[in-house]
Amino acid sequence: MWYLRAAALLCLSWPATAACPPPQRQPRCPCYDFDGGLFVDCNTVNASEVGGALAQVHGPVKSLRVYELEPTLRELPAGFLGNGTVRELQISQSGLQRLSELSLAGGGAVLQSVALVRGKLSSVPRAALAGLPQLVKLDLEHNEIRLLESYDFHGLKLVSLDLKSNGIETVSEYAFAGLEETLVSLNAAKNQLTLFPLSALAPAKSTHHTEPRLESHRQDGTRRLQQV
Ligand SMILES: *[C@@H]1O[C@H](CO)[C@@H](O)[C@H](O)[C@H]1NC(C)=O
Ligand SMILES: *[C@@H]1O[C@H](CO)[C@@H](O)[C@H](O)[C@H]1NC(C)=O
């Protein structure tokens, strides 16, 4: 049969240098090589399966997406990414309330984008994020963060921050301190804020900074900050 021969040829011709392992090795975390970038998409897995899948990928991973991480897992464990290098991480649909301080250590050092969406985070996981010098995009949409504390994002160079749909009731005075120079886009829609405290976005000490020009798009609750 031609198609069997074709399949056999395909197997034989599997390039020895392929960075993705053969699909049967990780059926719930398929890996794709697309345009020179590696994409790993895990579905309905536990944390050790994600680690096991990453360990089989040879080369840096451009994007790791995890859908439906085991619902009973409350804390993302230390070394979640193992030694794998991951540039963009998305975990959606989980029971995560917090992240171990070392959960993104190691392979996460090159993370540029982190999305922890549709989980149960009760605060900004600042300790885990603190070790990510390249992080520019943070998405915490649809969690259970009620309070933004002062210096929650300090030390990060975020350009884009999404806090939509958390039920945020309180924004501390210096909640966004440290982001004055970098933040361009902030989405705080669908929270419990009757009035967004714009002073929280202003530089803590504005004497040496140019004031960011604030543009509000009240219709959808998205606010954009532009440096002028
Ligand atoms: C993770 O899932 C795999 C496959 O279902 C299972 O064999 C393993 O025991 C699970 N590990 C943990 C820590 O739950
Ligand atoms: C990561 O690398 C270290 C040092 O090379 C090694 O000892 C450790 O076992 C590795 N961890 C995993 C999960 O592969």
Side-chain angles (χ1 to χ4, degrees):
M1 301 287 179
W2 66 269
Y3 52 84
L4 286 181
R5 287 185 55 189
L9 273 175
L10 201 64
C11 285
L12 285 174
S13 63
W14 190 277
T17 54
C20 281
Q24 65 272 20
R25 288 244 210 108
Q26 41 182 10
R28 286 197 284 187
C29 290
C31 171
Y32 312 91
D33 186 339
F34 182 73
D35 233 1
L38 301 183
F39 294 73
V40 178
D41 282 352
C42 295
N43 210 322
T44 326
V45 287
N46 62 34
S48 48
E49 285 174 288
V50 175
L54 284 177
Q56 295 192 33
V57 176
H58 302 292
V61 171
K62 182 173 190 325
S63 158
L64 169 65
R65 288 187 295 193
V66 181
Y67 301 101
E68 301 206 29
L69 189 59
E70 51 181 320
T72 53
L73 189 69
R74 297 283 170 259
E75 177 175 286
L76 197 68
F80 175 69
L81 300 175
N83 289 333
T85 307
V86 177
R87 213 168 285 283
E88 297 174 10
L89 169 67
Q90 178 182 320
I91 300 177
S92 58
Q93 301 284 4
S94 76
L96 289 179
Q97 294 172 347
R98 53 193 180 271
L99 272 61
S100 158
E101 182 174 352
L102 297 176
S103 53
L104 304 177
V110 300
L111 276 168
Q112 295 172 349
S113 168
V114 169
L116 305 163
V117 299
R118 299 189 178 272
K120 300 192 179 307
L121 295 176
S122 55
S123 59
V124 175
R126 47 206 274 194
L129 299 175
L132 309 179
Q134 301 189 33
L135 190 67
V136 290
K137 194 164 187 278
L138 179 62
D139 183 355
L140 300 175
E141 197 173 316
H142 269 281
N143 279 280
E144 298 175 0
I145 301 170
R146 302 277 181 264
L147 162 70
L148 293 182
E149 296 190 60
S150 287
Y151 306 106
D152 254 354
F153 308 97
H154 202 253
L156 300 177
K157 306 258 184 289
L158 297 181
V159 172
S160 165
L161 176 59
D162 193 337
L163 297 167
K164 189 178 164 190
S165 299
N166 269 277
I168 297 171
E169 294 161 347
T170 311
V171 177
S172 305
E173 188 177 359
Y174 299 125
F176 302 100
L179 297 183
E180 303 85 7
E181 303 289 338
T182 56
L183 195 66
V184 171
S185 171
L186 170 67
N187 188 347
K190 300 201 175 159
N191 284 293
Q192 302 299 318
L193 296 164
T194 43
L195 185 70
F196 195 88
L198 287 175
S199 65
L201 288 169
K205 283 200 168 84
S206 58
T207 42
H208 303 297
H209 300 276
T210 46
E211 289 279 350
R213 181 160 60 86
L214 297 173
E215 283 184 0
S216 302
H217 302 273
R218 289 194 173 269
Q219 313 89 298
D220 61 355
T222 301
R223 279 158 213 281
R224 287 183 172 275
L225 267 172
Q226 279 188 349
Q227 303 286 347
V228 286

